[in-house]
Amino acid sequence: MIRSFRHRPHVSWVPGSWPEASKPTFPLSEVAKHPIIMSLPDSENDVDALFVEHGVAVNDRFAVHDGYIAWRMVEAGLGISVNNLLMSQRWEGNVAVHPLDPPASIELGIAVRSVAAASPAVRALVDRSRALIARMRF
């Protein structure tokens, strides 16, 4: 059983100097038209799955193993990136953050076979995780 606690949106990061920065959303269909900066490429992550699900062929230009580096590269105008909002919520810089069109999100949760049959420690972990995520401001 998966206990879902919260959904958080995927967003595009667009250089603030680009014309696309003034748009309210970023269409997934536009991703292939721009150089993209991939965080953790080819690691079967949520962004890779999103692109496969929507048939988006990406124009990989850069691959990085750190979201903040990707953010700074976007700010420098080297391309766009698609990530979850959690990664950049408190970062600053000349980067426009837009919801995707169509909308997409990640799910935060925990998987357990059965909460009722779980040990007291596992039940406590589920309860504390739920409470912690509910208090987080994201």
Side-chain angles (χ1 to χ4, degrees):
M1 163 184 288
I2 297 177
R3 294 285 182 157
S4 178
F5 300 138
R6 207 158 192 187
H7 290 267
R8 297 309 303 156
H10 284 294
V11 294
S12 66
W13 298 344
V14 179
S17 60
W18 287 17
E20 293 85 350
S22 63
K23 296 181 179 179
T25 62
F26 192 89
L28 271 175
S29 59
E30 297 287 314
V31 168
K33 297 178 182 177
H34 302 284
I36 190 161
I37 300 159
M38 294 292 294
S39 299
L40 300 172
D42 302 320
S43 61
E44 297 183 21
N45 61 41
D46 50 334
V47 174
D48 288 336
L50 177 67
F51 290 158
V52 169
E53 177 184 345
H54 291 279
V56 175
V58 296
N59 178 11
D60 293 35
R61 176 152 309 160
F62 300 103
V64 297
H65 293 283
D66 182 280
Y68 190 68
I69 292 171
W71 173 268
R72 290 298 180 194
M73 291 173 75
V74 169
E75 184 178 30
L78 299 175
I80 64 165
S81 192
V82 173
N83 291 283
N84 64 68
L85 183 60
L86 287 173
M87 290 180 67
S88 61
Q89 195 147 15
R90 297 180 192 259
W91 294 343
E92 296 181 11
N94 190 20
V95 175
V97 178
H98 296 299
L100 297 176
D101 181 19
S105 65
I106 61 168
E107 183 176 7
L108 300 177
I110 193 165
V112 294
R113 287 188 193 271
S114 166
V115 174
S119 71
V122 170
R123 287 195 304 272
L125 174 65
V126 170
D127 291 343
R128 289 187 179 143
S129 297
R130 181 184 300 119
L132 175 66
I133 290 173
R135 285 193 314 265
M136 294 175 85
R137 295 180 185 179
F138 53 85

